[in-house]
């Protein structure tokens, strides 16, 4: 009998996957004898690998595996790959290369990172981290497009809150966000997590970080509840309140916190590290070293915005906008005033750079940072550059978002990235981010590398 989606989600939500049986969960095919096996059983965290295998096939049997999930708004994402069973009738995705489909080669997690939206320009994000994504896996006889009957089926719950992680909404003074706390008494090393110019509150990266021992604050800064509607109304004092909130929290290990920023959130993190106290480590994902989009006031000063000309955008062959060319060079003329004085920062930097970033000249900006820090007698920052990787570097196994409709601009934007390269970059970057924060916030050894 095939387990229903409701049954899997009820088990995942009410009993939590950590309390389900440790033995591999098996689902028999609805109209065949093949059995799909998933390890770990009963679901796992989104950033954990899962081992997928199929038993009961004929020796050398050609099959097609299909994966699908729906987000909270009903958008469908799908991937498929063609395989051949070994001489014992076993198919193990950790050992068997895909022969075609959404990807080729030995890619044990390919059915996740290769998921593509049914409707173009839809980006997979997790809006409610308290519920898992349910991934449906199907095994079909033969190779698509000529695949035949259904041989086996499984539902796999991928969670964003590990067992014991606590989600705490934050409405403290002006600060709006969500604090995620690891299990245990604490205190824990603290991280403030900022996303980009789409606004709102994005929780899933912070929720996953809490599963690795960090007290992580997903911080909204515009277009959320009573926060400003536009970036023009931002003040650095708001972020200072957030830092003080973390440092005063009994579950956060002081005397400093770390910052993690993506895109526009990255240059805000640079400004925080440069002007605010209590920050000892900063990670920037595809960010600019100048203040962008709108001037940023702080006390009696204002950091001007980097000059731009929106008319300099380009449109690629797919009709997608590329905004990388609209920004002026921060090293030239009056634009130098927009460069954030990050040489004032007290802690080290880690720059995560996608070499195929179509939104920012991320590699160029990281090089500016390196030269400026060294010219001011500071240590050279750690810069990790990833070939074939675009703007939207997410936690592991998220599908690569090469293009989407920008939440504020309402226009289709090209982000860049090749799925095969970026899928590996996301696994590696996630581990390096944890290693960096454990080292500078906790003094711990590097995290263990991925099993896959």
């Amino acid at each position: 009998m095939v387990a229903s989606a409701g049954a899997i989600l009820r088990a995942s939500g009410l009993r939590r996957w950590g309390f389900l049986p440790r033995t591999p969960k098996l689902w028999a095919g609805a109209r065949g004898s093949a059995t799909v096996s998933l390890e770990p059983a009963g679901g796992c965290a989104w950033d954990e690998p899962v081992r997928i295998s199929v038993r009961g096939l004929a020796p050398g049997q050609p099959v097609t595996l299909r994966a699908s999930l729906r987000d909270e708004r009903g958008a469908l994402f799908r991937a498929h790959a063609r395989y051949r069973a070994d001489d014992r009738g076993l198919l193990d995705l950790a050992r068997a290369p895909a022969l075609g489909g959404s990807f080729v080669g030995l890619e044990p997690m390919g059915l996740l990172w290769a998921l593509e939206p049914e409707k173009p320009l839809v980006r997979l994000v997790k809006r409610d981290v308290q519920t898992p994504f349910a991934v449906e896996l199907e095994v079909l006889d033969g190779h698509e497009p000529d695949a035949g009957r259904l041989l086996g089926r499984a539902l796999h719950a991928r969670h964003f809150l590990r067992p014991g992680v606590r989600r705490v909404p934050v409405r403290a003074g002006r600060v709006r966000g969500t604090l995620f706390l690891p299990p245990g008494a604490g205190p824990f090393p603290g991280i403030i997590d900022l996303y980009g110019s789409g606004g709102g509150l994005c929780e899933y990266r912070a929720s996953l970080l809490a599963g690795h021992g960090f007290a992580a604050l997903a911080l909204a800064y515009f277009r959320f509840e009573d926060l400003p509607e536009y970036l023009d109304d931002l003040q650095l004092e708001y972020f200072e309140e957030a830092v003080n909130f973390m440092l005063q929290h009994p579950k956060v290990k002081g005397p400093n916190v770390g910052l993690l920023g993506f895109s526009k959130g990255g240059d805000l993190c640079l400004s925080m590290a440069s002007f605010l106290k209590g920050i000892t480590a900063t990670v920037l994902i595809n960010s600019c070293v100048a203040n962008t989009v709108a001037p940023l006031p702080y006390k009696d000063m204002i950091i001007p915005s980097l000059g731009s000309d929106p008319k300099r955008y380009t449109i690629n062959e797919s009709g997608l906008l590329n905004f990388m060319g609209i920004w002026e060079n921060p090293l030239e003329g009056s634009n130098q005033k927009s460069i954030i004085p990050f040489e004032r920062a007290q802690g080290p930097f880690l720059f995560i750079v996608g070499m195929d970033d179509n939104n920012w000249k991320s590699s160029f900006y990281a090089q500016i940072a390196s030269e400026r820090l060294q010219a001011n007698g500071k240590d050279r920052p750690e810069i990790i550059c990833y070939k074939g990787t675009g703007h939207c570097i997410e936690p592991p196994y998220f599908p690569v978002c090469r293009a989407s409709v920008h939440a504020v601009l309402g226009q289709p934007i090209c982000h860049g990235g090749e799925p095969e390269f970026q899928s590996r970059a996301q696994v590696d970057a996630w581990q390096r981010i944890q290693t960096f924060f454990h080292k500078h916030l906790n003094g711990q050894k590097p995290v263990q590398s991925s099993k896959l």
Side-chain angles (χ1 to χ4, degrees):
M1 179 179 178
V2 179
S4 69
I8 296 297
L9 291 178
R10 283 194 297 273
S12 304
L14 296 178
R15 289 191 288 154
R16 299 309 306 272
W17 84 91
F19 300 99
L20 293 175
R22 295 294 183 185
T23 54
K25 185 70 177 179
L26 305 179
W27 289 268
R31 290 182 291 169
S33 58
T35 303
V36 181
S37 174
L38 304 175
E39 300 180 62
C44 63
W46 180 273
D47 59 344
E48 284 186 281
V50 59
R51 187 159 187 167
I52 303 170
S53 58
V54 183
R55 293 178 172 82
L57 300 171
Q61 182 176 353
V63 293
T64 297
L65 267 63
R66 296 194 305 207
S68 63
L69 70 78
R70 289 188 183 273
D71 69 9
E72 291 94 336
R73 295 180 178 176
L76 178 63
F77 295 79
R78 295 185 292 196
H80 74 280
R82 297 186 286 272
Y83 293 94
R84 192 173 296 278
D86 65 16
D87 56 7
R88 298 172 297 165
L90 171 67
L91 174 62
D92 183 350
L93 270 58
R95 299 178 180 179
L99 305 176
S102 301
F103 56 92
V104 295
L106 187 62
E107 299 287 354
M109 293 295 289
L111 288 170
L112 281 179
W113 61 250
L115 287 167
E116 293 186 347
E118 182 181 40
K119 295 182 179 180
L121 305 176
V122 178
R123 179 178 176 181
L124 181 65
V125 297
K126 193 69 178 80
R127 296 175 177 87
D128 180 7
V129 299
Q130 298 176 93
T131 61
F133 272 142
V135 181
E136 182 178 43
L137 298 166
E138 294 178 312
V139 183
L140 303 176
D141 184 25
H143 285 164
E144 284 196 343
D146 300 319
R149 64 193 180 99
L150 178 69
L151 300 176
R153 176 174 171 265
L155 278 156
H156 176 55
R158 297 191 65 80
H159 295 258
F160 289 80
L161 289 176
R162 289 175 184 253
V165 171
R166 289 157 287 172
R167 178 185 179 273
V168 184
V170 175
R171 306 293 184 269
R174 292 186 297 174
V175 178
R176 301 290 180 266
T178 305
L179 179 62
F180 293 92
L181 297 171
F188 310 100
I191 298 171
I192 298 177
D193 182 22
L194 298 181
Y195 265 81
S197 58
L201 177 60
C202 194
E203 296 183 351
Y204 58 86
R205 189 166 61 192
S207 69
L208 292 172
L209 282 170
H212 296 280
F214 299 101
L217 174 65
L219 182 65
Y221 55 93
F222 83 115
R223 297 186 75 223
F224 180 75
E225 295 186 352
D226 57 351
L227 293 177
E229 185 68 17
Y230 303 103
L231 288 168
D232 306 69
D233 299 321
L234 277 185
Q235 297 177 336
L236 194 57
E237 282 87 348
Y238 170 76
F239 301 95
E240 190 170 35
E241 277 193 47
V243 173
N244 291 335
F245 166 81
M246 288 290 281
L247 291 176
Q248 294 166 11
H249 197 285
K251 295 292 186 180
V252 176
K253 178 181 178 182
N256 301 291
V257 296
L259 304 176
L260 173 58
F262 162 68
S263 195
K264 172 60 188 173
D267 71 64
L268 287 170
C269 286
L270 271 184
S271 294
M272 293 168 69
S274 302
F275 293 101
L276 308 182
K277 297 179 181 179
I279 296 165
T280 195
T282 304
V283 177
L284 307 163
I285 302 174
N286 284 335
S287 303
C288 187
V289 293
N291 179 53
T292 62
V293 184
L296 183 64
Y298 180 57
K299 295 183 178 178
D300 58 352
M301 59 160 284
I302 295 178
I303 310 173
S305 175
L306 177 65
S308 63
D309 181 359
K311 296 179 182 178
R312 292 204 298 258
Y313 71 83
T314 59
I315 301 178
N316 67 13
E317 63 277 4
S318 301
L320 301 172
L321 276 61
N322 185 323
F323 280 101
M324 188 164 59
I326 74 172
W327 302 103
E328 296 179 4
N329 188 336
L331 298 177
E332 295 178 352
S334 61
N335 285 308
Q336 295 181 59
K337 296 179 180 179
S338 69
I339 296 180
I340 300 161
F342 45 84
E343 65 275 6
R344 299 175 46 167
Q346 298 303 305
F349 294 100
L350 168 61
F351 286 81
I352 303 293
V353 174
M355 298 300 288
D356 192 34
D357 185 352
N358 282 200
N359 297 159
W360 297 104
K361 298 178 181 178
S362 302
S363 178
F364 174 56
Y365 299 145
Q367 187 59 36
I368 292 175
S370 181
E371 292 174 0
R372 184 175 178 117
L373 286 169
Q374 292 178 83
N376 284 274
K378 296 298 185 75
D379 291 337
R380 185 170 68 178
E382 186 177 357
I383 301 174
I384 310 297
C385 297
Y386 294 103
K387 175 184 176 182
T389 299
H391 186 65
C392 301
I393 299 177
E394 296 276 28
Y397 315 125
F398 264 91
V400 176
C401 180
R402 290 182 280 183
S404 68
V405 176
H406 193 278
V408 174
L409 299 174
Q411 298 291 327
I413 306 297
C414 179
H415 303 303
E418 295 297 328
E420 292 82 1
F421 289 110
Q422 188 156 333
S423 63
R424 291 172 175 78
Q426 291 182 166
V427 172
D428 187 72
W430 190 240
Q431 294 170 352
R432 289 179 183 269
I433 289 168
Q434 293 175 55
T435 296
F436 181 83
F437 281 133
H438 277 304
K439 176 181 178 181
H440 296 291
L441 297 178
N442 230 357
Q444 291 186 359
K445 294 181 180 180
V447 297
Q448 202 170 32
S449 60
S450 169
K451 296 177 182 177
L452 296 180

